[in-house]
């Protein structure tokens, strides 16, 4: 019984310590009116900019830089990839695909 009283007292103390409402939180304007109007809510997000960024990303995916294409070609050919680990992708591409060897 004594243990139950002590545990209840400790639980009340923990609850009082964690649920205490400070005066600083009462000073906030959000406490009295937590909602803002629609115009202010959307001020920080601009749909046109976001859609433009998505469009630019899609364009960049379609048109890759030459060194990116060379790197992908080199990654598909295992000896070139091994050479690239040691000397870099630019040197590996030049070594294996730079000059087309003809008989």
């Amino acid at each position: 019984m004594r243990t139950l009283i002590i545990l209840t007292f400790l639980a009340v103390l923990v609850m009082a310590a964690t649920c205490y409402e400070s005066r600083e939180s009462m000073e906030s304007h959000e406490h009295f009116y937590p909602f803002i109007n629609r115009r202010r809510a959307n001020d920080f997000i601009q749909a046109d900019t976001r859609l433009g960024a998505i469009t630019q990303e899609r364009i960049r995916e379609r048109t890759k830089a030459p060194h990116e294409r060379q790197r992908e070609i080199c990654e598909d050919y295992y000896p070139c990839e091994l050479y690239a680990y040691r000397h870099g992708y630019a040197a590996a591409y030049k070594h294996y695909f730079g000059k087309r060897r003809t008989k």
Side-chain angles (χ1 to χ4, degrees):
M1 184 68 180
R2 185 175 168 182
T3 313
L4 183 63
I5 293 172
I6 291 172
L7 287 174
T8 306
F9 181 70
L10 287 174
V12 169
L13 282 177
V14 168
M15 186 179 69
T18 57
C19 296
Y20 173 71
E21 184 92 21
S22 69
R23 192 174 52 149
E24 293 172 356
S25 65
M26 298 295 254
E27 291 174 356
S28 174
H29 297 291
E30 295 169 357
H31 177 72
F32 298 112
Y33 189 69
F35 304 106
I36 58 176
N37 64 15
R38 292 180 186 170
R39 188 172 297 149
R40 284 194 53 214
N42 293 325
D43 278 347
F44 64 96
I45 296 178
Q46 296 174 353
D48 296 334
T49 307
R50 190 176 62 204
L51 290 175
I54 292 171
T55 305
Q56 288 290 40
E57 183 178 341
R58 296 294 178 249
I59 290 171
R60 273 188 245 116
E61 286 176 0
R62 273 189 267 137
T63 58
K64 293 181 180 176
H67 60 83
E68 182 65 27
R69 278 189 257 121
Q70 290 174 358
R71 182 180 178 137
E72 287 178 357
I73 291 169
C74 190
E75 285 175 348
D76 290 339
Y77 186 55
Y78 187 69
C80 182
E81 188 175 10
L82 290 178
Y83 193 88
Y85 285 139
R86 178 166 240 151
H87 302 286
Y89 280 100
Y93 184 84
K94 185 186 278 186
H95 179 75
Y96 284 99
F97 302 106
K99 296 182 214 171
R100 294 290 178 179
R101 297 182 180 116
T102 56
K103 289 186 177 182

